[in-house]
Every structure is written in structure tokens, then in C-alpha cells.
Amino acid sequence: MERFTSEGLSFEVTDTRAAAGTGTGEVVVLLHGFPQDRHCWDAVTPALTDAGYRVLAPDQRGYSAGARPAGRRAYAIARLAADVLALADAAGAERFHLVGHDWGAALAWYVAGHHPDRVSSVAALSVPHPEAFLRSLTSSSQFLRSWYMAALQVPWLPEFMLSRRNGDAMRASLRSSGLDPDSAARYAARAADQAAVRAAINWYRAIPFGLGDRTGHIEVPTLFIWSDGDRFISRAAAERCGRYVDGPYQFETLAGVSHWLPEKAPEQVATLLVRHLATHPS
């Protein structure tokens, strides 16, 4: 499977079963964040397929060229979650393991909280449970670390600034936050297209439409990986995360690593994921 559809939109997806015939067992869905794409998982995937898992890594709504609807409401988190379930359905996976980084982590928390009957386990990288994040805004440095989320609510100006000079501003920002040059260049190339970067920013602009749709406590087995070099997520938010997980919970801190865990620490991430998945089979 190279594509799947949801709400009439067409999504590109890496499916290791289709791509190389490897990993034919339990399904693991990998969700990227902002401003990444499915290839952020390329260095993590081989360890999962070697362990026998079938990996599905989509370019999500706003990132796949055929899935960029206009309007902020189209990016409300419930609709993003519907895309994940549509992917699993297309793959014939009644139950699946879910892994997400950054915005992908926020979405993974939501799907696990609202659809525990479909999720065998969840692993979140960098971004903690939404309630832990919200509570930390008033009790730590998290509010200052999250200033950009408010800035991205401004109409048209963020995409104009980020797309200038072929995405130079995006590239510089990503590099300063600890991302490697090659990945920063690839994500910045997409930002050169104002329509593409606007679609990605719409994940942030849709936040107000989902404020009343809370995630709730997580019942499925959970792994949370945070890095102490993350300039976007405070230690207070990360350490509060476990309060909102009722199922088996493991919290791991990677020392000296920036926010970009799939790209900067793929071997450590893969080792933790394989162990987590093996401990909690479908």
C-alpha cells in the first residue's frame, strides 16, 4: 500500500510490507510532527521491521499533496484521528501500536484516549499528555517555551515569513533548535511553498476547535520518551505526564538530545520502542 484515503483525501504512506516485504507481523503506525514528514522515521524503521513488525508511516493531513483541505476546521484533532483509523482500516489492522513525535505524539495521545479498543500500545516522543502540557503552562517555563504556538495563530504572516527565500527562515529555526542540516533542508524546501506550510500550520490554528474535546486518562500500555535538551518541552511538563496514564507506564529521558528524537537519536529510540512493543503485544 502506497496510498490510502480518508474523507476523500489522498495520503502517501510508507508501508514496509509493500515496500520490501519485511515486517509482516503486528502493525506499528508512526506519526510525524511539525514540520516533519514520514521520512523522519527512516532511521528508526529498520529495527522495527527486523523485529517482525509491519510499519506504516504516513505523510499526514496537510503534508500529503493530496490531503491539504482549506480552512482550519479541517485540521481539528478528531479529524486527524479519523485519518489514523482510516489508515489502519486500509491496512486491515483491527488493532495496532501507535507511535508519534511532536504533533504526532499529541495525536497519538488523543487516539489512544478515545479509541483504546483499536490501540494495543502507545509511545509518545517529546510531547507529553495534553493535560500535563496544559497544567504546566502556569507552573513552569512551559508558557515561555510555547510562545510560537500563539504566534502561528496570526493569519498569513507566519507562512509568508517561513516561505521567504526558499524557506531560509524555517531552515535557520530548525537548525538552531538542534535538527541536523539535511533534515532541516528537506523540511525547509516544503516551507518554500506557502500553501504547503499553511496547511501544516493549520494544525496549530485548529487548536481552538478541539479545546472541549479532552483526551482523558490513557488505559493502554504507554511509553513516553523525552530529551533534556528539548527547548520546546519543559521537564515539569514531561514529569507530570504519568499522572494521566492509568495503564502500564514507562518514562525515559534521553540525555543531551534535542527535540528531534527520530532524526537525532534513532538507535536509542528504536531500542526503546522494540522493547516496549515486545513487552505489550497485541
Side-chain angles (χ1 to χ4, degrees):
M1 179 175 62
E2 296 180 350
R3 289 182 177 274
F4 73 99
T5 60
S6 176
E7 295 186 353
L9 304 173
S10 178
F11 296 77
E12 298 172 355
V13 58
T14 296
D15 179 353
T16 56
R17 178 180 292 180
T22 58
T24 57
E26 298 176 26
V27 169
V28 181
V29 176
L30 305 180
L31 303 177
H32 66 80
F34 175 87
Q36 298 160 303
D37 54 40
R38 70 187 191 276
H39 295 294
C40 75
W41 299 106
D42 284 354
V44 176
T45 297
L48 300 179
T49 57
D50 287 348
Y53 297 99
R54 178 186 180 184
V55 174
L56 302 174
D59 278 343
Q60 298 199 77
R61 183 176 293 224
Y63 295 84
S64 283
R68 291 176 182 161
R72 296 178 298 160
R73 287 184 181 273
Y75 297 84
I77 195 162
R79 300 181 75 172
L80 303 175
D83 296 339
V84 176
L85 298 180
L87 169 59
D89 291 343
E94 181 62 30
R95 290 178 63 81
F96 54 92
H97 300 280
L98 191 54
V99 181
H101 174 251
D102 187 77
W103 252 115
L107 179 54
W109 287 115
Y110 182 92
V111 174
H114 285 262
H115 304 280
D117 57 315
R118 300 294 304 273
V119 178
S120 300
S121 74
V122 63
L125 279 60
S126 300
V127 172
H129 189 286
E131 293 294 332
F133 179 85
L134 289 172
R135 299 282 182 180
S136 68
L137 287 174
T138 58
S139 61
S140 71
S141 63
Q142 189 57 58
F143 182 82
L144 296 176
R145 292 170 183 258
S146 303
W147 66 270
Y148 64 94
M149 297 177 70
L152 291 175
Q153 301 300 319
V154 177
W156 74 263
L157 183 60
E159 52 264 48
F160 171 75
M161 296 299 296
L162 291 173
S163 64
R164 292 180 65 233
R165 299 176 182 173
N166 294 317
D168 278 354
M170 172 75 81
R171 184 183 299 105
S173 176
L174 294 173
R175 290 287 293 116
S176 69
S177 66
L179 187 60
D180 63 279
D182 289 344
S183 297
R186 187 170 75 250
Y187 304 150
R190 183 172 51 246
D193 178 352
Q194 277 198 43
V197 75
R198 180 180 301 114
I201 291 173
N202 275 340
W203 283 54
Y204 291 95
R205 291 174 174 161
I207 288 175
F209 302 117
L211 289 178
D213 193 4
R214 309 300 277 267
T215 296
H217 283 227
I218 304 301
E219 300 175 359
V220 303
T222 300
L223 168 66
F224 176 48
I225 308 174
W226 174 75
S227 48
D228 61 10
D230 193 325
R231 82 178 200 186
F232 302 109
I233 301 296
S234 67
R235 179 177 292 277
E239 293 181 343
R240 188 184 290 266
C241 182
R243 302 181 188 183
Y244 303 96
V245 180
D246 293 338
Y249 178 65
Q250 180 182 359
F251 174 37
E252 295 286 344
T253 299
L254 301 188
V257 183
S258 72
H259 175 77
W260 310 100
L261 297 182
E263 296 95 342
K264 297 294 288 182
E267 294 182 359
Q268 293 170 277
V269 167
T271 297
L272 290 170
L273 287 179
V274 169
R275 186 184 307 153
H276 168 69
L277 298 173
T279 303
H280 307 288
S282 294

